[in-house]
Amino acid sequence: MQLYNTLSAEERAELIDQAGKQRLTLSFYAYAKIEDPKKFRDDLFIAWNALDALGRIYVAKEGINAQMNVPAENIEAFRETLEVYDFMKDIRLNVAVEHDDHAFLKLTIKVRHKIVADGLNDDTFDVTNKGIHLKAKEFNEILDDPNTIVVDFRNHYESEVGHFKGAITPDVETFRESLPIINEQLQNHKEDKNLVMYCTGGIRCEKASAYFKHQGFKNVFQLEGGIINYAKQIEAEGLESKFIGKNFVFDNRLGERITDDIVSQCHQCGKPCDNHTNCANDGCHLLFIQCDECKTAMENCCSTECLEIIHMPLVDQVRLRTGKQVGNKVFRKGKSESLKFKHSGELTDTVLATASKSTDIRQKIKVKKTLLGKAEHYYVKAQVGLFTIENQELNSGDKILISGPTTGNQEMVLDKMLVNGIEKTQAKTGDKVTFAIPFRIRLSDKLYKIIG
């Protein structure tokens, strides 16, 4: 019985491209009492793995929080797997505004203490006493009320690229940080103002609205389904979008465009830009905004220091980051002294530029490649790698990519090779191939041919 992924992200991406079928990116959540989260998790994995559904899902005794990517042809079957559970019957699926077949490349379901890290003691207040849910039209109307205070309950790197006009945008890295800050900031308006809140898909506001009602706020409202659902509704109903810019999302897309307004800047040169990326130095992986020109000049790095590091031999790169905490950096480290044009906290509604509609939303540089085979051995003294060719052909002069969790992604041009112990210019399926490699490889590494 398979309960975990057996394919790497690279292998999964290859299979998705070969299948050529449309995939839908979506999210959903539900608060419910789950007696055995571990069994619930395993049952979901078995059902969803059979449907080729991928994503990042958290389950806990209090419910489920999911961001996923599902083949369009399997969407009804996917719904059926949800409706097995009473608390997910007729659940709203927040289907993304923009789709990317590579939004998720693994099915990861984790059991957590909570489905959102809110830092709250739920026993101290009634979590079911939530704020009033507002649809897009009602949300627009209440925003026009001068008696309304609207609060963004997302993090600084999310609100920087897009937010509702006039919103309070706390300078925080986590949801739990924003709760006491807003409570303190609005102490004098508990009875005389409408406290209106929003987040990406609604889950953060679901708990926050109950918390603020417990804190004494009389008029608490939340955007139903968050920004994702709002975008769908304004398009369907022809409403004005009071949200400007891009909606940050926690998958490989890193954002989906709601309006054509660009409200943020490249963190390196200051040019209007709202494309997030991660620093190419695996020892940094800083999340920041980078324009195409800086991406080319800096080779996807956040600083000259990181640029120097990525050109070091891999063994030296690994040595530099040995012993350092590198987990959880994809979305959290959004600040650095190297970023001269980073803005957070109080944000203006000033539009800096208009986005091109043809802009590709995928942030990572696309490398078209085909899987050839896998590593079998590395001869350290000779600096020679041995591979088995399992698919297609390998020729002298081909540009290849060797990829693995520790090795990273290493590109090189194959000058010459031995095929089954004899120097040849071509290797076919089933052949054993050896050639010189200036870095160490591992048995988990895959060999790809770069095409195009």
Side-chain angles (χ1 to χ4, degrees):
M1 184 183 299
Q2 184 180 335
L3 294 176
Y4 298 92
N5 291 282
T6 57
L7 296 177
S8 68
E10 291 81 5
E11 290 171 320
R12 179 71 71 176
E14 184 76 17
L15 289 176
I16 289 173
D17 288 343
Q18 289 176 1
K21 296 180 179 179
Q22 182 188 10
R23 300 180 67 90
L24 301 178
T25 303
L26 54 89
S27 61
F28 63 92
Y29 68 89
Y31 281 98
K33 189 174 182 179
I34 299 175
E35 295 294 339
D36 189 346
K38 175 63 168 63
K39 183 180 185 304
F40 179 59
R41 178 260 174 219
D42 291 349
D43 290 344
L44 291 179
F45 192 96
I46 293 169
W48 291 347
N49 188 55
L51 296 175
D52 194 24
L54 307 173
R56 185 186 300 109
I57 302 94
Y58 299 128
V59 299
K61 285 184 176 293
E62 67 172 3
I64 181 170
N65 178 17
Q67 293 85 42
M68 303 189 67
N69 187 265
V70 181
E73 64 183 16
N74 292 344
I75 196 67
E76 290 307 317
F78 177 75
R79 275 192 175 276
E80 290 176 6
T81 68
L82 302 180
E83 296 190 350
V84 168
Y85 306 93
D86 289 340
F87 71 90
M88 288 197 286
K89 287 187 182 296
D90 299 320
I91 192 170
R92 181 186 63 246
L93 300 181
N94 280 333
V95 180
V97 176
E98 298 175 324
H99 298 281
D100 186 334
D101 291 344
H102 292 181
F104 292 100
L105 295 174
K106 289 189 177 183
L107 176 57
T108 304
I109 310 178
K110 295 184 177 181
V111 176
R112 292 284 180 86
H113 176 61
K114 288 192 171 188
I115 55 176
V116 175
D118 52 34
L120 297 173
N121 181 354
D122 294 355
D123 294 333
T124 62
F125 66 101
D126 183 1
V127 295
T128 66
N129 185 23
K130 299 174 290 190
I132 298 171
H133 284 224
L134 300 174
K135 296 187 182 299
K137 185 174 185 296
E138 300 166 321
F139 194 80
N140 278 2
E141 290 171 353
I142 203 168
L143 291 189
D144 289 334
D145 186 340
N147 209 40
T148 290
I149 296 175
V150 59
V151 181
D152 190 326
F153 275 97
R154 301 173 303 151
N155 305 326
H156 65 85
Y157 48 84
E158 299 176 78
S159 56
E160 184 177 11
V161 294
H163 52 269
F164 279 96
K165 298 174 183 177
I168 295 173
T169 53
D171 186 11
V172 296
E173 287 191 4
T174 62
F175 171 52
R176 69 174 67 192
E177 292 177 61
S178 64
L179 297 173
I181 290 174
I182 294 301
N183 189 36
E184 178 65 26
Q185 191 171 339
L186 303 180
Q187 275 294 310
N188 297 326
H189 300 291
K190 290 187 174 182
E191 297 191 12
D192 66 332
K193 295 289 185 181
N194 298 319
L195 174 57
V196 180
M197 57 186 68
Y198 69 92
C199 56
T200 307
I203 188 170
R204 284 177 267 192
C205 296
E206 200 77 7
K207 187 75 69 72
S209 65
Y211 169 77
F212 281 103
K213 290 186 73 173
H214 174 70
Q215 292 296 319
F217 288 85
K218 301 300 182 185
N219 305 304
V220 181
F221 304 85
Q222 66 187 88
L223 178 58
E224 183 180 275
I227 299 164
I228 298 173
N229 198 41
Y230 176 86
K232 292 282 186 180
Q233 289 182 10
I234 61 170
E235 181 179 9
E237 299 174 28
L239 303 174
E240 172 195 1
S241 176
K242 292 186 178 292
F243 184 95
I244 52 175
K246 211 175 199 180
N247 179 33
F248 185 95
V249 291
F250 291 84
D251 58 55
N252 291 337
R253 295 172 298 153
L254 294 181
E256 56 183 14
R257 186 158 298 289
I258 307 301
T259 71
D260 293 333
D261 306 306
I262 296 178
V263 297
S264 53
Q265 298 171 276
C266 171
H267 287 163
Q268 293 175 317
C269 71
K271 175 183 175 180
C273 179
D274 55 11
N275 290 332
H276 275 104
T277 190
N278 289 111
C279 180
N281 173 18
D282 286 336
C284 172
H285 215 56
L286 179 75
L287 177 74
F288 68 109
I289 298 173
Q290 188 178 48
C291 69
D292 290 341
E293 289 80 1
C294 289
K295 184 183 291 288
T296 299
M298 297 296 293
E299 297 181 44
N300 225 109
C301 289
C302 70
S303 64
T304 53
E305 179 184 7
C306 285
L307 181 59
E308 292 172 359
I309 289 174
I310 68 168
H311 288 288
M312 290 181 178
L314 186 64
V315 64
D316 292 334
Q317 294 185 45
V318 172
R319 177 179 52 79
L320 283 175
R321 61 178 183 261
T322 299
K324 293 184 180 180
Q325 176 62 40
V326 295
N328 226 11
K329 286 188 174 182
V330 175
F331 299 117
R332 291 202 60 218
K333 277 193 62 180
K335 294 180 180 179
S336 167
E337 292 181 0
S338 300
L339 307 179
K340 299 178 181 179
F341 296 91
K342 164 69 183 173
H343 300 291
S344 58
E346 292 187 18
L347 302 174
T348 71
D349 298 336
T350 303
V351 176
L352 303 178
T354 300
S356 169
K357 292 185 182 297
S358 61
T359 300
D360 190 345
I361 64 172
R362 191 175 299 172
Q363 303 305 312
K364 295 184 178 180
I365 298 174
K366 293 180 180 179
V367 176
K368 291 185 177 181
K369 60 186 185 296
T370 183
L371 180 65
L372 293 178
K374 62 182 180 181
E376 297 287 355
H377 190 69
Y378 183 68
Y379 302 93
V380 179
K381 290 185 178 180
Q383 290 191 307
V384 169
L386 169 64
F387 294 84
T388 298
I389 303 300
E390 299 176 333
N391 180 50
Q392 298 195 17
E393 298 176 349
L394 175 65
N395 297 282
S396 296
D398 283 345
K399 188 173 183 181
I400 59 174
L401 170 71
I402 300 172
S403 177
T406 303
T407 305
N409 294 313
Q410 303 293 331
E411 296 182 15
M412 58 180 285
V413 175
L414 183 61
D415 293 326
K416 63 179 181 179
M417 60 181 170
L418 297 181
V419 180
N420 301 322
I422 301 172
E423 185 171 343
K424 291 185 178 181
T425 59
Q426 186 180 74
K428 298 182 179 180
T429 301
D431 287 340
K432 300 287 186 181
V433 177
T434 54
F435 51 86
I437 303 175
F439 49 86
R440 183 164 185 166
I441 62 171
R442 282 83 180 167
L443 292 181
S444 58
D445 289 355
K446 305 296 182 184
L447 174 65
Y448 298 88
K449 177 161 63 176
I450 297 176
I451 57 177

